[in-house]
Amino acid sequence: MQKILFFATGWLIVLMPFLFWWNTWFGRHLSNQQLTEYLRDDKKPRHIQHALVQMGDRMSHGDSAVKQWYPDLIRLANDPVEEVRNTDAWVMGQDISGTGFHETLLKMLADSSPMVRGNAALSLVRFGDATGRPQIVALLQPAAINAPISGHVIDADRPGTAIHQGGLLAKLAAPGNSVPIEVRSPVPGRIRSVSQPGATVTADAEIAVVDPATEQVWEALRALYLVGQIDDLPAIRPYERDLRDISNDVRQQAQETEKAIRTRAGN
């Protein structure tokens, strides 16, 4: 009996991480019935994201069967969950023939999330539409995060640390408030600066700056290669030579993007 329990415990130790991975990995294939169910599962946003990622992959391979769910893509542009809207904006860029996609993406340029606005702008480039160029340029720039309240910092991450979208930057304590206020990053990237424990901050004052993630910079530079203008060069040039921890691929893309912009402008 003891051996059986030992074996069962060992099996669970192996099985549980696999089941967690299996249920959260967006690459797991979904049947058409599962896609329909997942797209409408408002209680589990990750199910919606999983279905969207699967749709995007099938759309990029020219699978016309996914068109039956195109009305769901239009609907999800107004989903209350930011991550869903963000993925949705990317997916609509995979088929420029989708009815209503162009108009929906234009509306998403006014989304409250900078990442949703950026993804909508990148997708619009696939439609030959440069309306979102300012939002694309913004993807190259560091995000300044302001304190939501006045108080003092009781905990904070360290400068130079990589952070994901929604990652915790700092915690603030305010007089009369027993529950600390969490300050989170609106974008993925790397922390350039953040007020450290013991610092006092005032409401709406800068508390942190986050440099954009490499993938974000790469996609923005590729889009500006096609639609960028001379006015965008100050945002592009730091990636050619000035910033640390920039890969050679990104530097080369930045140089090629500036070259393309100058060629279009006749310079």
Side-chain angles (χ1 to χ4, degrees):
M1 184 67 179
Q2 218 171 18
K3 288 183 178 179
I4 294 174
L5 286 175
F6 179 80
F7 176 79
T9 302
W11 176 248
L12 285 174
I13 290 172
V14 174
L15 182 62
M16 291 306 291
F18 171 78
L19 290 176
F20 176 79
W21 168 82
W22 179 255
N23 285 298
T24 57
W25 180 51
F26 291 161
R28 179 167 61 88
H29 176 74
L30 299 177
S31 67
N32 286 354
Q33 181 180 347
Q34 287 176 314
L35 264 175
T36 299
E37 293 172 354
Y38 275 36
L39 282 171
R40 295 163 191 174
D41 190 353
D42 295 334
K43 295 181 179 179
K44 295 182 179 178
R46 285 191 66 81
H47 276 184
I48 300 176
Q49 279 187 281
H50 188 162
L52 288 172
V53 170
Q54 292 273 305
M55 280 190 67
D57 181 63
R58 291 172 64 173
M59 289 161 69
S60 68
H61 288 88
D63 185 350
S64 61
V66 297
K67 291 185 178 181
Q68 62 184 295
W69 297 292
Y70 280 10
D72 287 301
L73 297 186
I74 303 296
R75 172 181 60 84
L76 290 170
N78 296 310
D79 193 90
V81 178
E82 177 183 350
E83 289 81 4
V84 169
R85 300 195 310 277
N86 194 29
T87 308
D88 189 46
W90 168 75
V91 172
M92 281 190 280
Q94 304 306 305
D95 184 359
I96 62 174
S97 69
T99 302
F101 287 2
H102 192 182
E103 295 78 9
T104 301
L105 288 167
L106 285 170
K107 293 177 182 177
M108 295 179 84
L109 292 178
D111 195 276
S112 59
S113 163
M115 296 306 296
V116 175
R117 296 195 299 269
N119 257 353
L122 292 172
S123 286
L124 281 169
V125 173
R126 293 175 175 263
F127 288 81
D129 188 338
T131 304
R133 186 176 61 84
Q135 286 84 352
I136 295 173
V137 174
L139 293 175
L140 296 175
Q141 298 168 340
I145 296 93
N146 295 335
I149 61 169
S150 296
H152 64 276
V153 180
I154 59 173
D155 190 18
D157 211 333
R158 293 184 177 181
T161 303
I163 191 167
H164 57 79
Q165 184 181 2
L168 184 63
L169 285 165
K171 291 183 180 180
L172 289 175
N177 192 342
S178 59
V179 180
I181 301 298
E182 295 182 342
V183 181
R184 296 184 175 274
S185 177
V187 299
R190 189 171 297 277
I191 302 172
R192 177 187 294 187
S193 64
V194 59
S195 298
Q196 292 298 296
T200 300
V201 296
T202 57
D204 296 325
E206 183 180 289
I207 188 173
V209 175
V210 176
D211 288 322
T214 299
E215 296 80 3
Q216 177 178 316
V217 171
W218 171 257
E219 293 296 341
L221 289 171
R222 290 176 63 201
L224 292 175
Y225 179 92
L226 299 172
V227 302
Q229 298 182 10
I230 289 292
D231 292 345
D232 305 333
L233 293 181
I236 294 169
R237 283 175 180 151
Y239 293 97
E240 296 180 25
R241 51 187 176 273
D242 295 340
L243 297 178
R244 294 188 305 168
D245 301 323
I246 297 299
S247 69
N248 289 333
D249 288 342
V250 169
R251 283 196 176 94
Q252 184 175 355
Q253 183 61 58
Q255 293 165 1
E256 292 296 327
T257 297
E258 176 169 357
K259 182 180 178 180
I261 290 172
R262 290 195 174 278
T263 300
R264 277 197 300 276
N267 290 351

